[in-house]
Amino acid sequence: MSYAQSPDSSAVHLVDTIIRKAIVSSASDIHCESTQQGLRVRYRIDGVLYDQERVATQHMPQVLSRLKVLSNINIAERRIPQDGKFSVPFHGQVIDFRVSTFPAIFGEKVVVRILDRARNRIELDNVGFYPSMLAQFKELVSRPNGFFLVSGPTGSGKTTTLYAALAAINSQEKKYYYA
């Protein structure tokens, strides 16, 4: 069964369903890839991509356009990569999404990164640092000035580490800038 066989197959309903299922599945990403057989939808869960129901070929352009509209991305531009973002309320909390589009052979690929603030609320002590590295990192983030770079592959904990670092040094007297 594909998403388009549901009773309400509007693009808004299809996108809402894809997003809701991804959140409930604790996915970190939603990958949408245009193919000849329709829109291939996959969720990244614990670093592994899992196929979901396909969106029928005839609904593919509307679903991709809906994701672009939500993300404030130019829906007419399909030849260059674009980035955007949006937020949705879900069970009393706000969940943020970063969206990237890429041109592809049969249309576009869209990757939606799910940034669940509640799931990212983790103490610096529980991020996974070795004890000696944790002490050094805590000393680094408590310095009054400077910067540090956090890098790694998708789903490796970059955002979680940064949120935990900000939470560790958060106080009423300070203002932090981050990108």
Side-chain angles (χ1 to χ4, degrees):
M1 181 171 145
S2 72
Y3 283 113
Q5 293 171 340
S6 67
D8 179 5
S9 59
S10 71
V12 172
H13 175 76
L14 292 173
V15 170
D16 288 351
T17 301
I18 291 167
I19 289 171
R20 188 173 41 259
K21 285 183 177 181
I23 295 168
V24 169
S25 300
S26 297
S28 61
D29 303 279
I30 304 167
H31 291 251
C32 301
E33 180 181 357
S34 300
T35 71
Q36 284 183 310
Q37 296 78 33
L39 189 66
R40 182 180 187 192
V41 178
R42 297 185 291 168
Y43 297 160
R44 183 182 304 278
I45 302 169
D46 295 327
V48 179
L49 288 171
Y50 294 95
D51 280 318
Q52 305 301 307
E53 297 175 47
R54 283 187 187 266
V55 172
T57 307
Q58 66 266 27
H59 297 290
M60 196 164 58
Q62 293 90 350
V63 168
L64 294 175
S65 290
R66 174 66 181 156
L67 285 167
K68 291 169 116 178
V69 166
L70 283 171
S71 309
N72 207 17
I73 293 174
N74 181 353
I75 63 170
E77 182 58 71
R78 294 181 183 92
R79 296 169 296 152
I80 60 170
Q82 299 184 81
D83 294 306
K85 61 184 177 178
F86 66 97
S87 300
V88 297
F90 186 79
H91 293 297
Q93 56 185 314
V94 176
I95 299 182
D96 299 319
F97 298 85
R98 285 193 316 230
V99 179
S100 298
T101 67
F102 311 92
I105 294 172
F106 297 107
E108 291 180 282
K109 292 181 183 179
V110 176
V111 177
V112 181
R113 179 79 166 150
I114 303 170
L115 303 167
D116 185 348
R117 297 174 194 174
R119 210 170 37 179
N120 286 333
R121 284 193 187 124
I122 189 168
E123 299 292 322
L124 203 48
D125 293 340
N126 299 327
V127 170
F129 284 115
Y130 291 114
S132 61
M133 188 179 281
L134 176 62
Q136 290 174 343
F137 189 75
K138 283 182 174 180
E139 191 277 323
L140 178 68
V141 298
S142 66
R143 291 183 182 174
N145 53 42
F147 77 96
F148 58 92
L149 176 68
V150 178
S151 66
T154 300
S156 64
K158 298 177 298 292
T159 302
T160 301
T161 300
L162 291 171
Y163 281 153
L166 286 171
I169 60 173
N170 188 28
S171 75
Q172 295 282 14
E173 300 82 36
K174 297 178 184 174
K175 177 162 178 64
Y176 301 100
Y177 297 94
Y178 54 95

